[in-house]
Amino acid sequence: MELPTGPGHRSSPMRPQSEDTVFDSLQFGEDIQHLISVPPENASSFTALLELPPNQAVELLHSPDSTLRTRTVIETHHQKPYLQPQFNAANLAFPTNSGLIERAARLSVFAGENLNNISNNSLETSSGPSNSSANLEKVVKSEPAEAESDLNPSQPLVSDPTTVENGAQNQRPVKRKEREKKGKSSTKKSKSSGNDNSEDAEKLPYVHVRARRGQATDSHSLAERARREKINARMKLLQELVPGCNKISGTALVLDEIINHVQSLQRQVEFLSMRLAAVNPRIDFNLDSTLAAEGGSLMDSNFPSMVMPLTWPEVQVNGNRQNYQQQWHFDAVNQPVWGREEDSYNFITPENSLLSYDSSANSDHGRLEDKGLEIFDVMVKGNNGIQAEIEHYGCVVDLLRSAGRVEEGFEFYQKDAF
Amino acid sequence: MRRASTLGPPSDEEIRTRTRRIRIVSYSSMAFAVGSSRAWSRALVLKIRNRARFRGILRNKCLASKKKRVIKRHKVSREMSKTDMLRRLVPGGAGMGICGLLEETAHYMTCLATQVHEIDLE
C-alpha cells in the first residue's frame, strides 16, 4: 500500500516498517493540528465521539492482537515533570491490522486536507503542515529532557525527538493507556485539545483516553475510566431502546427501567402464547422431542425463523421423516394465526402445500396419511373460520391415493364434497 | 406421538401445556433466527435443548454472578442487586461481565420486541 509521505516526515533512520513510519508521520502532523485547535468541551465519552457504534468501538478497544495503539499527546503547556512519557515520538504506535491501516489511510487523507484549514489559536504557532516539524521541536523542547521510563521495554528509547517512527510494536494492549500520561492539564486549552484528540480518533483507529483536570493518571485509573466510558455508552444505548427512559438520570433507575421492560416483554410473550394456546384448534403435538432433534441440525445451518409460516412450504424438505413431522406440527401451530387475518384463499396455500408434501415427501407414509386426515378433520370441525374448499378435498384424495387407499379417497370425496 | 384428543372445551391443564410449548417454540425460533452470533441466543438454544432432554434436572440451576469482587460482608445472603436480576432475565447472562451483559441486554430486548410483534398479529 503506497502511502504519501506526510508533512512531518523525518529523515531520521527508519525502522523496517517503512510504510508504517511514513503513515505515522502523516498522522503526527495532524496530531499537532488537532491539539492546537479548539475541540468540543463535553467529550464525556470518547466512544460516543467515535463515529462507530459502541460495539465497534469496543471492538477497537479490545482488538486482541493489539492492533490498536494509542498515541501520546503533546502537552503544550505543562511544565510538571513526568514520570511517564508525556509525549514522545517514540511512543507513537502503529496499527498493524491492515484493515485499520487502510481505513486510517483513507481517513487521514481527509484529515490531511484539513490541515491547512484549521485555525490555530494556541501558544504554539501556525497550522501549516510545513510548520508541524517546527511545532514539534518547540513542543518537545518544553518537555523534560529526561528519558522516559519506558513502560514497554521492547521499545527503544528515542534520542531524536523528531523521530516519528519507532519500532513501537506495542504488543500489549493494556499498555496503551500507560502511553497516554497526560497528567494534569494546566490550561483548558490543553484539556480541550486532548479531547479533540479523541475526536481525532474517529478519523483514525486510535482510541484516546485523556486525563481530565484533577484526575489521576496511573494505569489503573485510566483502565477504570475507559471501562466506565464503555459502560456508560452501553447504558445510553439501552436508554434509547427503552421507551421513556431518556428523562431518567442515574444508572440505578435506568437499570430498574431496563429490568422492568425486559420482564414486561417476557410476560407479553407468555400472555400471547397463552392466547394462542386457548384458541388453537386442538392439535396435540410433541414439541419437546422434535425441538431437541431439530435444534442440532438447524443451528448449524442458521435456519430462518420458524415463525413465518408462509415461507414454510418453500422450506427445503429433507427426506427425514422426523423433520417432516416437525414441519407439520409447526405449521399447524401457526396456521390459525395467519388464517384469521387472511381470506380463505390465502389460507389454503400452506395447508395445500403441506398436504402435497405429505404425499410426495415420504415413500413410507405409515401413519402420516392418517395424520393428514386427522388434521383435515380438525380443520373442518374447528371453530377458526376455515371452510373446506375443493383444494383441500383434492389434497386429501391425492394423499390417500398415493398411500394406496384409493377406494377410501373416492368415498371421502363422495361423502364430503359438494 | 399423541393423538389429538376429542373435541371439547380445553381444560386448564391442556392450555397450560400448550402455552408452555408455544412459548418454547417462539423462543427457540427467535434464538435460531439470531443464530450463534450472540451469546444469549447460544445460551437459549442450549437451554431449550437441555430442557427437552432432561426435564427438571436443570430447572433449579442456581445462578451465581460471575464477578464477585465484593469483600466478605457480615450478612451472608446479600440482596439481589440489579445486575443479578438482569443476569437472571437475559439468557446466558451469568457468564458475562457488566459490559457484555448490557450489550446482550440491548440485543435481546430488540429481538424480544420483534418476537412480540410477530406473535401478536391479531
Side-chain angles (χ1 to χ4, degrees), chain B:
Chain B
M1 184 164 62
R2 283 165 248 173
R3 319 265 315 170
S5 42
T6 57
L7 286 179
S11 70
D12 286 341
E13 184 57 40
E14 284 174 14
I15 291 188
R16 235 173 286 138
T17 45
R18 255 188 264 156
T19 310
R20 234 176 290 137
R21 286 172 175 166
I22 293 179
R23 195 184 69 224
I24 292 177
V25 166
S26 71
Y27 276 119
S28 62
S29 71
M30 183 168 72
F32 286 146
V34 169
S36 40
S37 53
R38 310 299 302 208
W40 65 264
S41 70
R42 291 190 291 264
L44 198 52
V45 166
L46 285 176
K47 185 171 76 167
I48 292 176
R49 220 183 285 178
N50 290 335
R51 184 187 303 192
R53 292 200 190 128
F54 309 105
R55 307 181 88 182
I57 293 181
L58 298 176
R59 194 157 291 165
N60 295 323
K61 184 174 179 183
C62 74
L63 175 84
S65 37
K66 179 194 178 194
K67 307 241 167 106
K68 283 187 173 174
R69 285 191 215 155
V70 291
I71 318 167
K72 281 287 181 190
R73 294 189 186 163
H74 294 293
K75 50 176 182 164
V76 180
S77 66
R78 55 193 182 96
E79 188 224 278
M80 183 120 57
S81 77
K82 299 192 193 17
T83 54
D84 285 340
M85 283 188 61
L86 198 55
R87 278 185 215 276
R88 199 173 276 234
L89 282 178
V90 177
M96 288 187 249
I98 296 283
C99 251
L101 184 66
L102 290 180
E103 189 174 344
E104 297 291 320
T105 306
H107 196 258
Y108 184 60
M109 259 193 343
T110 53
C111 289
L112 264 187
T114 314
Q115 185 76 16
V116 166
H117 181 69
E118 287 288 324
I119 288 187
D120 183 19
L121 278 171
E122 304 185 17

